[in-house]
Amino acid sequence: MFETKDSRQAVWIEMVNGISTCFDQFLPLILYYQEQAQYNAMMLNGFFADGDDTEKKHTPIHVYGCEHLLRLITKLPSLLADSETSVKELRSIIAKVGDLLRFLQKNQSTFFVQTYRSPRENELLLSEANFVGR
């Protein structure tokens, strides 16, 4: 059976939507200690959209870059192992993730930043306070 352009596009749309949902849900688990302060500050300030909140249009996947996406991809095997995904679906996901990784590698100068800023003092203090408070 041959796939049509529309069916391939539909598979990719479903894949991207699934990755977006996973990214937004699991971002706190893949952030480095220093990045937690920035994320926590944005959460405290109501920067990210909450469920049906249409006024706030920001979601983590629109803020964090491909570096964070790669961290999520490295966690996908353990996340998928805990899901009720069929073997056929797992094979499809693995193939699409492989395609995505090749695309990102080919276009890395477009999707990956070359310089980073250091966390601000207040971000470090907030992160430290949240860590100690756990």
Side-chain angles (χ1 to χ4, degrees):
M1 176 170 65
F2 294 101
E3 287 185 303
T4 65
K5 181 180 177 183
D6 288 342
S7 67
R8 287 190 305 262
Q9 186 176 13
V11 168
W12 272 107
I13 289 170
E14 183 179 343
M15 179 74 170
V16 168
N17 289 338
I19 288 175
S20 295
T21 301
C22 282
F23 188 93
D24 290 346
Q25 181 179 359
F26 293 110
L27 178 69
L29 302 176
I30 61 173
L31 289 175
Y32 293 147
Y33 172 76
Q34 299 88 344
E35 296 168 328
Q36 281 288 339
Q38 178 192 41
Y39 177 80
N40 291 338
M42 286 190 280
M43 290 298 290
L44 288 173
N45 291 323
F47 183 78
F48 294 125
D50 292 329
D52 296 331
D53 189 351
T54 56
E55 289 183 33
K56 299 173 193 146
K57 296 187 179 6
H58 302 288
T59 59
I61 199 157
H62 292 105
V63 175
Y64 290 87
C66 280
E67 294 81 359
H68 297 88
L69 177 61
L70 291 179
R71 290 186 212 163
L72 174 68
I73 289 172
T74 63
K75 300 279 187 192
L76 269 181
S78 61
L79 297 173
L80 292 173
D82 295 338
S83 71
E84 296 180 10
T85 309
S86 72
V87 173
K88 182 180 178 183
E89 289 173 315
L90 285 174
R91 286 186 182 135
S92 176
I93 291 169
I94 290 167
K96 292 295 180 202
V97 167
D99 291 344
L100 175 61
L101 289 172
R102 283 185 286 283
F103 173 81
L104 290 174
Q105 182 181 20
K106 182 178 177 182
N107 297 284
Q108 61 185 306
S109 63
T110 301
F111 294 107
F112 294 91
V113 296
Q114 303 303 316
T115 58
Y116 298 90
R117 76 164 177 84
S118 296
R120 295 182 182 109
E121 177 92 17
N122 64 334
E123 292 171 336
L124 290 173
L125 292 173
L126 179 61
S127 180
E128 195 171 295
N130 286 333
F131 182 73
V132 171
R134 287 183 185 179

